[in-house]
Amino acid sequence: MTELNQQTTYDDNNIFAKMLDGDIPYHKVYEDDKTLAFMDIMPQAEGHVLVIPKQKAVDLADLEPEYAAAVLMTSKKVMQAQRQVFEREGVIQMQLNGSQAGQTVFHYHVHLIPSSIHELGRHAVTQADNSDLADIAQKLLAVIDA
Ligand code: AMP
């Protein structure tokens, strides 16, 4: 049987925890008391955003109901902004649970990707240009705040 490199306990030093602590930079799209949304640094399509709860959850199994609701409401805001900014209806909502599913960062997060299942780029492979990410974040942020 294949041995799984499964992480079940929350690591306070994971990269998204460090973002929430303000220890590493990111391109913010939206923030409220329970969630944070920011640009994925290795996007699978232009405008790929991640939404995370301000709760120490490894994956869906750990997510508390109030944070689950908050992540969903923030995801709706982000998706509406993506539709407006990219002038497209199609946005993929994706979320991976466990390394076997391909999860690489063990703080629960929802991917929102303006793409199609037929065109989706490879997962977490190619780093985007920092200034492009900053530009897109500003456009999405402006629409969400409007
Ligand atoms: P997953 O494999 O579902 O856990 O997704 C983790 C995502 O985090 C991938 O899409 C990565 O491109 C993204 N990612 C990793 N490090 C960073 C970072 N420093 N800033 C923004 N996104 C990141």
Side-chain angles (χ1 to χ4, degrees):
M1 192 177 149
T2 312
E3 195 177 315
L4 296 179
N5 179 25
Q6 179 62 46
Q7 182 157 350
T8 51
T9 53
Y10 188 84
D11 175 6
D12 283 317
N13 287 316
N14 79 72
I15 196 132
F16 295 168
K18 287 182 178 170
M19 287 180 187
L20 288 172
D21 288 343
D23 292 340
I24 62 161
Y26 54 87
H27 298 285
K28 183 157 80 174
V29 170
Y30 177 81
E31 182 170 16
D32 60 25
D33 61 331
K34 290 195 174 59
T35 67
L36 176 67
F38 53 89
M39 302 309 298
D40 192 304
I41 206 169
M42 292 173 272
Q44 290 179 252
E46 187 183 35
H48 184 162
V49 171
L50 301 174
V51 179
I52 66 174
K54 294 181 178 178
Q55 186 220 322
K56 295 180 180 183
V58 172
D59 65 18
L60 183 59
D62 302 329
L63 197 62
E64 291 166 10
E66 63 184 300
Y67 286 93
V71 165
L72 211 53
M73 295 315 289
T74 295
S75 298
K76 283 179 69 157
K77 287 188 174 115
V78 170
M79 187 194 72
Q80 279 154 5
Q82 289 170 320
R83 283 182 161 173
Q84 207 172 318
V85 166
F86 295 103
E87 296 179 339
R88 62 172 289 131
E89 183 200 6
V91 175
I92 295 174
Q93 180 180 331
M94 179 176 85
Q95 189 264 312
L96 308 178
N97 297 288
S99 52
Q100 190 177 43
Q103 185 177 3
T104 55
V105 178
F106 295 94
H107 179 116
Y108 175 90
H109 52 280
V110 167
H111 297 258
L112 291 165
I113 315 172
S115 187
S116 132
I117 197 68
H118 308 295
E119 296 168 310
L120 195 58
R122 292 187 62 201
H123 183 61
V125 172
T126 309
Q127 190 142 344
D129 184 86
N130 207 38
S131 63
D132 288 346
L133 292 178
D135 284 351
I136 296 168
Q138 280 313 309
K139 285 182 186 150
L140 293 170
L141 205 146
V143 167
I144 290 176
D145 280 350

